[in-house]
Amino acid sequence: MGEGFSRRTLFGAGAVAAGIAGVGLTATAGARVVQPATATEPFYGVHQAGVATRPQAYTTIIALDLRPAHADRAGLRSVMKLWSEDAARLTQGSPALADTEPELAADPARLTVTVGYGPDLFDAVGLTANRPAALRTLPNFRVDRLESRWGGGQLMLQLCADNLLTISHACRILTKNVRSMTTIRWVQRGYRNPASASAGASMRNLMGQVDGTANLNDDAALEQYVWDPGADQPWFAGGTMLVLRRIRAEMDTWDEVDRHSKELFVGRRLSDGAPLTGSRESDEPDFTAAVNGIPVIPENSHIALARHRSDGEQFLRRPYNYDDTPPTGQISDSGLLFIAYQRDPARQFVPVQQRLSEADALNPWITPVGSAVFAIPPGAPVGGYVGQQLLER
Amino acid sequence: MGEGFSRRTLFGAGAVAAGIAGVGLTATAGARVVQPATATEPFYGVHQAGVATRPQAYTTIIALDLRPAHADRAGLRSVMKLWSEDAARLTQGSPALADTEPELAADPARLTVTVGYGPDLFDAVGLTANRPAALRTLPNFRVDRLESRWGGGQLMLQLCADNLLTISHACRILTKNVRSMTTIRWVQRGYRNPASASAGASMRNLMGQVDGTANLNDDAALEQYVWDPGADQPWFAGGTMLVLRRIRAEMDTWDEVDRHSKELFVGRRLSDGAPLTGSRESDEPDFTAAVNGIPVIPENSHIALARHRSDGEQFLRRPYNYDDTPPTGQISDSGLLFIAYQRDPARQFVPVQQRLSEADALNPWITPVGSAVFAIPPGAPVGGYVGQQLLER
């Protein structure tokens, strides 16, 4: 703070004084915050927004750790209150408290702020007994080539919006206000096709495939597979578990594969995402169809293995593409931020991923390089804060 | 190539054969490329697109060098032909030749592909005598803290579009097809407020300011200040010079400055971008207005110093915000990709930047960390390629 103010005095006290007296009045009289027509998503509620919310075009996901001096219940409560207060305002198009760039809050663009708790958080803050049993680090899969820089984190912020400027501003506000209590561990950024996002249709990933067709899509399914009923930890009723897998696309070798083979690996047509046994994306795949005894949708195609084999294996997918600056000597570093929500990853996501890891025809072209799991607490009650059900018991 | 094909055989020749015979026909019969309603910008013309084009929401700028074995006239011609052929198709919503993800080309989203030549290119390919005299590395400015990772490059690709997926795909195609002849030196990504971009209004930068108000805005001004008349190098008629400055915003100290001081540093109101002497963004600043003898717009404010002091100091600005992953221990790494087009940077941009460098009240909060200059050749004649006027003389 001292630095900023001492620098400011270089500008000349006379001019500043004139500005405040003369121009300041003009500015106040003439000021109007330009508020474009825009859409908002609710912040308060039974569930946090950003899970069942129709996917916005962009996401930035940040993992943080509490600094040792604040790794306790009081520290966690402080962070939760600050984040919730700011998120409640920013998501509705209002500047945060003491917002230093209030105009950047004018277009909420369906901003959602979703807070998560990593497996290590509960021990760190002395709440071991309150950790949901389903919050566990994923097992290692045979295909994994995990890099530590994309894993871990006691806390997570998932920001989603239809405007990148909105995300940049929210990200800055939310991390700035807790910087004395937290450190940033990693940041991942993703996007979807904005047209598809608006239409609510499936997106295309950077391998050219229509992605995320088979998905949970009604409230009853969400109640059954996504939202926690609180049977294990009553405070967690209305929460869910997020699995984030950073999956690199091996584009250089993928681009060498011919089109028909690509479709067989996936089990869907590239042109429109229809299963190889159907004519529209929404058609149910027919895994029994065969030509000369050979399945039309190969048994080791991605969709045949990814499909749930029992009701319990279903989860909500909300993926984003990523396309980052390539390392020296390469021309791209892109892939998918696979994001899934469910009550219990060990029972819902893991068995599916186990099958894919063993036999998915796509495996040579997709490499998981990051993996993280977070408990998503229930939504904040009106005027309250995320985590209140845990911290005010 | 060998690796991809050998991997593919793991999938089973039987299934692949069935797919081609059985499913392949279905796919062909049922295929339809989903072509969303979208806008296109022309590729061929007197000038390259992406300069006078109304700014799209996103940009990716890539600097490349020719590999030593291809650093000659033939190598440059090969790269130019490949890029032009692909760009002519992609900008119109058609897949590139041998496009491996053709569906990702379906939404051109006003894609423009703008090719540039760095100062080192002409010597490298034996065309020293044909280098436009105005293409020179910028002098060092007192405020510069340049990092070599954001400078240089024999070749440049500026991709702009209203859809990030479109940019990712075009970027991949254009760099992939020349990878045997080039290496990538750096990549910079930027965005504007999509709503502003659509409306053609000025954008806001991440410091909260309305940015780019004073700008050239009619064809006569572009003819006079931007497009080269070919007097120096006849082949360059219709070209222009790009200056790219990567300017980091020192948000941590900027956020400590009070609002009135910020407005005085800039000379414009934060709320709506109006000059401190006016009521609307488009109002002409009155640099003579004073209160008690003190100028309302301070003499060392950004707009007072940035304003042209002779007609020759005008140029076309087309800035983008950047917001990258922060280095360890920081919470943001953001700023502006300042992009300006003009006939002669030494006569148009440099005198303005010299003034700003010496006295701009904003200097403590903005740090140039990257600097690059590229000659933008004239547009490709219909069916021809960028650089043809240079290479087919």
Side-chain angles (χ1 to χ4, degrees), chain A residues 72-88:
Chain A
D72 55 25
R73 201 163 151 162
L76 178 61
R77 188 189 290 117
S78 297
V79 172
M80 291 300 106
K81 285 188 169 179
L82 283 166
W83 279 353
S84 299
E85 203 160 82
D86 287 340

Side-chain angles (χ1 to χ4, degrees), chain A residues 60-144:
Chain A
T60 293
I61 306 175
I62 309 163
L64 308 94
D65 295 312
L66 291 168
R67 292 182 189 266
H70 297 275
D72 55 25
R73 201 163 151 162
L76 178 61
R77 188 189 290 117
S78 297
V79 172
M80 291 300 106
K81 285 188 169 179
L82 283 166
W83 279 353
S84 299
E85 203 160 82
D86 287 340
R89 301 175 64 92
L90 292 170
T91 57
Q92 305 309 304
S94 298
L97 293 176
D99 196 324
T100 45
E101 285 79 32
E103 285 81 8
L104 301 187
D107 180 18
R110 299 179 61 233
L111 174 69
T112 53
V113 176
T114 314
V115 176
Y117 294 166
D120 297 340
L121 177 72
F122 294 84
D123 286 352
V125 300
L127 288 168
T128 307
N130 302 104
R131 179 169 69 190
L135 178 61
R136 278 174 298 184
T137 306
L138 297 180
N140 294 321
F141 300 102
R142 204 163 61 86
V143 288
D144 287 355

Side-chain angles (χ1 to χ4, degrees), chain B residues 126-339:
Chain B
L127 287 168
T128 307
N130 302 106
R131 179 170 68 189
L135 178 60
R136 279 176 296 184
T137 306
L138 297 181
N140 294 321
F141 300 101
R142 205 164 61 86
V143 288
D144 287 356
R145 298 291 179 273
L146 303 185
E147 301 172 21
S148 59
R149 63 185 171 132
W150 302 123
Q154 295 174 346
L155 296 170
M156 185 221 59
L157 279 174
Q158 174 198 275
L159 310 183
C160 299
D162 287 327
N163 183 336
L164 279 178
L165 190 65
T166 306
I167 290 190
S168 288
H169 179 245
C171 183
R172 167 103 194 142
I173 292 282
L174 295 171
T175 52
K176 182 173 72 169
N177 288 351
V178 301
R179 70 192 303 173
S180 65
M181 295 184 281
T182 63
T183 52
I184 293 177
R185 184 185 274 253
W186 50 253
V187 180
Q188 301 192 52
R189 293 164 209 267
Y191 68 86
R192 301 167 66 95
N193 187 320
S196 301
S198 308
S202 303
M203 71 168 200
R204 277 195 191 271
N205 64 36
L206 287 162
M207 298 171 83
Q209 306 154 2
V210 173
D211 201 301
T213 302
N215 214 350
L216 301 181
N217 54 15
D218 61 63
D219 287 348
L222 295 178
E223 284 304 327
Q224 187 171 355
Y225 298 113
V226 174
W227 304 125
D228 192 283
D232 163 43
Q233 291 285 349
W235 75 267
F236 197 61
T240 186
M241 294 288 162
L242 177 154
V243 168
L244 166 61
R245 307 267 299 170
R246 183 179 180 91
I247 304 175
R248 189 176 64 211
E250 309 297 351
M251 293 302 293
D252 288 345
T253 46
W254 177 249
D255 280 351
E256 293 166 355
V257 178
D258 67 273
R259 200 167 164 86
H260 284 302
S261 299
K262 285 179 176 176
E263 294 183 329
L264 288 167
F265 297 161
V266 180
R268 291 187 181 278
R269 285 205 304 255
L270 289 164
S271 60
D272 55 10
L276 297 183
T277 53
S279 60
R280 281 176 313 208
E281 187 195 341
S282 58
D283 287 347
E284 273 296 306
D286 177 1
F287 294 106
T288 66
V291 173
N292 298 331
I294 297 170
V296 175
I297 298 177
E299 290 170 14
N300 61 343
S301 68
H302 186 75
I303 65 165
L305 293 166
R307 189 182 179 77
H308 59 279
R309 303 220 165 155
S310 70
D311 274 354
E313 290 179 1
Q314 298 188 69
F315 44 81
L316 176 67
R317 291 187 286 162
R318 205 168 183 277
Y320 284 85
N321 295 314
Y322 76 84
D323 186 23
D324 286 359
T325 297
T328 304
Q330 294 177 34
I331 62 165
S332 56
D333 176 17
S334 60
L336 193 75
L337 304 182
F338 173 92
I339 296 171

Side-chain angles (χ1 to χ4, degrees), chain B residues 327-391:
Chain B
T328 304
Q330 294 177 34
I331 62 165
S332 56
D333 176 17
S334 60
L336 193 75
L337 304 182
F338 173 92
I339 296 171
Y341 300 94
Q342 62 261 289
R343 284 188 185 178
D344 185 350
R347 295 169 51 163
Q348 296 170 266
F349 170 74
V350 169
V352 175
Q353 178 55 28
Q354 208 71 264
R355 272 201 302 276
L356 290 167
S357 181
E358 294 303 320
D360 186 358
L362 274 182
N363 280 343
W365 299 280
I366 57 177
T367 308
V369 295
S371 185
V373 182
F374 297 97
I376 308 296
V382 175
Y385 62 92
V386 173
Q388 185 168 331
Q389 298 89 340
L390 170 67
L391 296 164

